[in-house]
């Protein structure tokens, strides 16, 4: 199984297990001196309740959340801040929303009335990959998160691992934390 996060001007980590994704993202941001966001902190109350009841989120649940995350990334990058985002951007469409905003969003107009393209971000997706068994074992040890371990299979079922031409690296969660961070840091050089 695989998941991820994004980095560069913005960096995103995707991984089905929030614990590992957040730990890697927070440590990486700290070492880089970048701002860290955990996408789980931005879920609506409705999404949190749905997951707490064991109901997987669908695209309609996720798109507004991803658009909000895109807006946060755009704001931070526009202010000169580099960002690490821990996010379960499991589908290519989700990663595209993080980069470009919602498809079909109305174009903004500048002072002269010309349409402006939505802001597009440069992101590196760090795809943290591991087997269902390894990730499930870690998830069962986690306490105090709104997503129950029973939803992990739905995360694996939804996953579309990144592929060319996406800007990504894949790192095994079976490496230790120091090795994972070193691999990502080397890629960012």
């Amino acid at each position: 199984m695989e998941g991820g996060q994004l980095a560069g001007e913005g960096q995103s980590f995707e991984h089905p297990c929030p614990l590992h994704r957040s730990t890697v993202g927070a440590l990486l941001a700290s070492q880089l001196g970048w701002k860290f966001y955990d996408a789980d902190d931005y879920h609506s109350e409705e999404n949190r309740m749905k997951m707490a009841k064991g109901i997987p989120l669908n695209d309609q649940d996720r798109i507004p959340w991803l658009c909000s995350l895109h807006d946060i990334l755009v704001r931070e990058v526009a202010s000169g801040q580099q960002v690490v985002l821990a996010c379960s951007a499991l589908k290519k469409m989700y990663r595209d929303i993080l980069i470009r905003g919602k498809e079909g969003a109305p174009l903004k107009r500048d002072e002269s009335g010309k349409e402006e393209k939505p802001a597009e971000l440069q992101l590196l997706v760090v795809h943290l990959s591991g087997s269902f068994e390894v990730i499930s074992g870690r998830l069962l040890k986690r306490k105090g998160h709104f997503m129950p371990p029973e939803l992990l299979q739905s995360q694996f079922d939804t996953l579309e691992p990144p592929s060319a031409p996406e800007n990504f690296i894949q790192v095994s969660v079976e490496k230790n934390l120091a090795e994972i961070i070193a691999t990502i840091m080397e890629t960012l050089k």
Side-chain angles (χ1 to χ4, degrees):
M1 168 55 175
E2 304 161 18
Q5 300 197 38
L6 306 165
E9 277 187 337
Q11 188 163 48
S12 172
F13 292 82
E14 66 178 15
H15 188 273
C17 177
L19 176 64
H20 200 72
R21 184 178 62 230
S22 298
T23 302
V24 172
L27 182 58
L28 180 66
S30 175
Q31 289 193 13
L32 290 168
W34 293 7
K35 195 160 187 179
F36 173 69
Y37 285 96
D38 187 332
D40 282 348
D41 294 340
Y42 296 88
H43 273 295
S44 68
E45 189 58 33
E46 294 80 17
N47 282 2
R48 288 172 182 261
M49 289 173 40
K50 189 172 182 179
M51 286 185 278
K53 292 177 184 174
I55 303 168
L57 299 181
N58 58 36
D59 291 350
Q60 291 73 28
D61 299 319
R62 292 177 186 269
I63 289 172
W65 169 68
L66 293 162
C67 288
S68 294
L69 295 169
H70 168 78
D71 293 345
I72 290 168
L73 294 173
V74 167
R75 181 189 71 227
E76 293 293 348
V77 170
S79 73
Q81 179 66 55
Q82 292 182 305
V83 178
V84 174
L85 171 69
C87 181
S88 56
L90 299 171
K91 290 184 177 183
K92 182 179 185 315
M93 176 182 78
Y94 299 167
R95 297 184 293 272
D96 288 345
I97 291 171
L98 288 172
I99 293 167
R100 295 182 197 88
K102 187 176 179 189
E103 267 186 30
L107 297 176
K108 296 180 181 178
R109 297 186 183 276
D110 64 16
E111 296 89 38
S112 68
K114 278 184 78 176
E115 288 184 345
E116 297 176 348
K117 287 186 174 180
E120 186 167 312
L121 299 165
Q122 296 295 316
L123 298 175
L124 169 65
V125 173
V126 178
H127 184 70
L128 300 173
S129 64
S131 70
F132 181 88
E133 292 73 24
V134 167
I135 295 170
S136 178
R138 292 179 182 178
L139 193 57
L140 289 170
K141 295 175 187 172
R142 182 188 66 180
K143 303 289 180 226
H145 194 274
F146 52 82
M147 188 189 107
E150 297 77 31
L151 285 180
L152 182 59
Q153 185 61 56
S154 72
Q155 298 272 294
F156 272 84
D157 294 344
T158 301
L159 179 66
E160 296 172 5
S163 60
E166 290 182 88
N167 185 26
F168 77 98
I169 62 169
Q170 180 171 309
V171 183
S172 172
V173 297
E174 297 204 29
K175 291 184 175 190
N176 68 45
L177 191 54
E179 291 173 314
I180 292 172
I181 298 297
T183 300
I184 299 165
M185 297 287 277
E186 183 62 30
T187 300
L188 291 172
K189 287 182 180 178

